Amino acid sequence: MNYAAHFRARDGAHQSVEEHLRGVQRLAEMMGEKIGVRHITGLAGMLHDMGKFSEAFRLYLQNAFEHPDTPPRRGSVDHSTAGGKLLYKLYHEQHIHQFTGILAEIVGNAIISHHSDLHDFLTPNLESDYLKRVKEKSLEEYELSESLFFERVMTREAFTSYVDCAAKELEDYLAVTSTLTVEARLMFLTKYVFSVLIDADRTDTRRFEEDEAESATIQYSTLFKGYYERLQHRLSSFSMLDGTIHNLRREMSEHCDRAAEQASSIYTLSIPTGGGKTLASLRYALKHAFTHSKRRIIYVLPYTTIIEQNAAEVRRILEDDANVLEHHSNVIEQDLADDEDVEGRIDIKQKWKLAKDNWDVPVIFTTMVQFLNVFYDSGSRSIRRLHQLSESVIVFDEVQKVPVTCVSLFNQALHFLRDYGRSSLVLCTATQPALDFVEHKLSIGAHAEIIPDLNRIAVAFKRVEVIDRTSEAMTNDRLYAFVEEMMIHCNSTLVILNTKSAVKKLFLLLQSLRPSVYVYHLSTSMCPAHRTEILSEIKERLRSKDKVICISTPLIEAGVDISFERVIRSLSGLDSLAQAAGRCNRHGENDKGEVYIIHHLEEKLDNLPEIRKGREISQRILIDMKEDPAYHGGSILSAAAMTRYFREFYKEMSGQLDYPVPQHNTTMMTLLAAPRTQNLFAEGYYSKHKCYPSLFLLNSCRTAGQHFDVIDNQTTSVIVPYDQKGKELVADLNGDRNINELSLMLRLAQRYSIQVYDQELRQLNQYGGLVSYLDGKVLVLKESAYHEKFGLDVSNDSGFEIQLY
């Protein structure tokens, strides 16, 4: 009897279960080899669809093929439990040994979860969802599935030998020297195996659907070396530039080049704002990548604005568009329900699922939100990319923007990537946060800083005077008058406020200025393509010496290469004030730029506790410096002031650093990696049953993921039909495309998407500002709900409309 795993609707071709299991196994082995666990990941690959060896699934698939318009109900045949049950039966009930027992739990959880999300070993209800599946759930045809697996995929003897190899890999994995606890190591290994299984399964399925042959893993060392030579050619064109700043930039770039020869680890790159850190860090990344045979280079940035600018600059230097990915957000909303993939054919929704980008490209630009989601988000959408972070060079640009609730989680992820992922990690910023000052501190070497003599560099780079105007609380009307007065004495002013609503209100006021002044608005209410266009226009006006005012949210502070004569910054955290100063006299065009710190009365920070606390600490430092001008070296932007700021900030926010989960009176750190004696649910189980569960692992990954949001407010990605390309993208959404074409569409869609908060989403629905595609999985903003000046208009009243197809 032939048992099929999938079939192609277009030609009726079938992929047998054994072909699919072996195909996924081979892919999983290659992906697991990167951290030395090829047999562990291969075990997950060979067993994940063992349950498809059943009459129920065979008939299900036949019915779906013969009746495509009325397919059977999804999920009516459980095919993902059998593989996990086999491991539990053989190595948890019969031959119990520490390493094979842990192996059975790690791999078994990945298998039973590969159409949903990792199961909790222990839930808030003091039950084990894992045991419910692998121990308690009855499968009528389990014996048939097991028999056919050993008959058609691997003999019992070969399987036993394979498991022994996997157990030895686990033993070696735990023997690696690491700052992580054993519980954290096993949690990250579980997530890594799950990541590999998801990607290998979907990749093999995509290859079958596209009739694509297996391909060898691509090594990018030669490509990276060619990129490096192009960068060197670009840098040589700067050698003719003279002046203190250009000389300092060259000096720091040379330090990065030399540091790239060192072993992979965690490094800091504390180049001052305007010091050319994009090209310097790229120089490090490229040289380190081809010197140490890394698979990819990943830039992690706080804002999408930086992605657009930096990715465009890198593309120009590398002369390669195809191999540079910008990953801003997930355009397709994820269905968190179990999605047991047993439909008989791959329809458009399945194609979209398979097309979700897995970061299988050499150069990637993404956000801190996406990086943290890879490790800690719920579901399978983000974690699929986790294994791609291994054997990489990862540059964290503006690392001080790590959300305070995620500090411990961020530090733990970096330890895993360094100790096990064989990656080199560069923390790049002018304002290094005190990540080694918190309880779950980041462990870095004493000589981790790439740039020597930072104090000399900071003094040499001083280009602005910071003027404290916080004693006068300003309303919008007073700020309007202040900006107008400012423009009498200069050609360009940048105003940075803490909230989108404050920015929009001031923008609308300033539009009434005389016509000779160009006024611009920037915020995350605008899609990336729109912001890029506005920034390009602003830069052109600045080059032409036109009168320019830009009112922006903090998104302009981090990494946007733009320079104004004067900057007005609403009081915020000291790191933000320093970044704002970096947009003033950036290239030393004038003897000295002026940065004014103000206290804006009309900003509502009730829902922004980090900004509110940062503002309070900055205010204290400003008061101290007013009383003693020599305090902290006489500069609010000094390294001493910054160290004080972050230490006070993390101390006062200490209750937030481990990502609190108040619904269960615990934290993400506890849910994911606490020892038994500190595990709230384990202690509750012990109190109830007078014993601990019969499990080696007790973490609660699913519960943790369900409560995880990098940004407190839940947002939804919405596509904007902005400019001609955006409109064409919207028109193509329902077209019949192959998976590779859909992947390209998803990448393009990121440049035309915005993140909409739940309240805004409700308002848009109320006013009819949205159109949905693919059963609501993809949302598109009507053009009438998007303003040409400030972006999202929840009232759906921007005055123009187009026909959506």
Side-chain angles (χ1 to χ4, degrees), residues 266-334:
I266 301 176
Y267 295 98
T268 57
L269 178 58
S270 305
I271 291 181
T273 303
K277 65 177 178 293
T278 299
L279 295 186
S281 61
L282 180 63
R283 188 173 182 180
Y284 170 90
L286 291 172
K287 187 172 183 180
H288 191 83
F290 73 76
T291 301
H292 297 277
S293 301
K294 301 304 179 186
R295 294 175 182 264
R296 57 190 43 83
I297 294 169
I298 303 171
Y299 272 84
V300 180
L301 309 108
Y303 301 123
T304 56
T305 311
I306 317 174
I307 292 179
E308 301 141 27
Q309 174 184 285
N310 290 10
E313 184 175 7
V314 168
R315 284 193 184 98
R316 285 193 298 271
I317 295 168
L318 305 185
E319 301 173 12
D320 190 344
D321 286 344
N323 285 318
V324 179
L325 168 69
E326 295 177 47
H327 188 264
H328 308 135
S329 60
N330 291 304
V331 175
I332 297 181
E333 287 306 301
Q334 178 170 252

Side-chain angles (χ1 to χ4, degrees), residues 691-702:
C691 65
Y692 288 110
S694 55
L695 289 167
F696 292 97
L697 305 180
L698 296 176
N699 60 54
S700 307
C701 287
R702 177 171 288 192

Side-chain angles (χ1 to χ4, degrees), residues 82 166 199 290 371 420 474 480 612 635 772 800:
D199 197 20
F290 73 76
F371 173 80
Y420 290 102
M474 290 192 182
Y480 169 89
R612 191 172 66 249
S635 172
S772 65
F800 49 98

Side-chain angles (χ1 to χ4, degrees), residues 720-785:
V720 177
Y722 177 77
D723 75 24
Q724 190 57 39
K725 284 187 178 179
K727 295 169 187 174
E728 291 172 359
L729 174 68
V730 171
D732 287 343
L733 280 176
N734 278 342
D736 186 13
R737 307 280 180 163
N738 65 38
I739 294 171
N740 290 329
E741 289 172 333
L742 290 172
S743 294
L744 292 175
M745 286 178 65
L746 286 177
R747 294 183 185 184
L748 178 62
Q750 293 174 113
R751 289 188 52 76
Y752 293 91
S753 63
I754 58 175
Q755 298 303 307
V756 178
Y757 290 103
D758 287 345
Q759 180 181 353
E760 295 171 321
L761 202 63
R762 289 192 293 271
Q763 288 178 278
L764 285 168
N765 282 319
Q766 179 183 350
Y767 290 108
L770 288 174
V771 177
S772 65
Y773 293 85
L774 298 176
D775 294 333
K777 292 284 190 282
V778 176
L779 298 177
V780 175
L781 197 69
K782 286 187 177 180
E783 192 170 354
S784 57

Side-chain angles (χ1 to χ4, degrees), residues 230 254 467:
R230 292 173 195 170
E254 289 295 334
I467 302 166

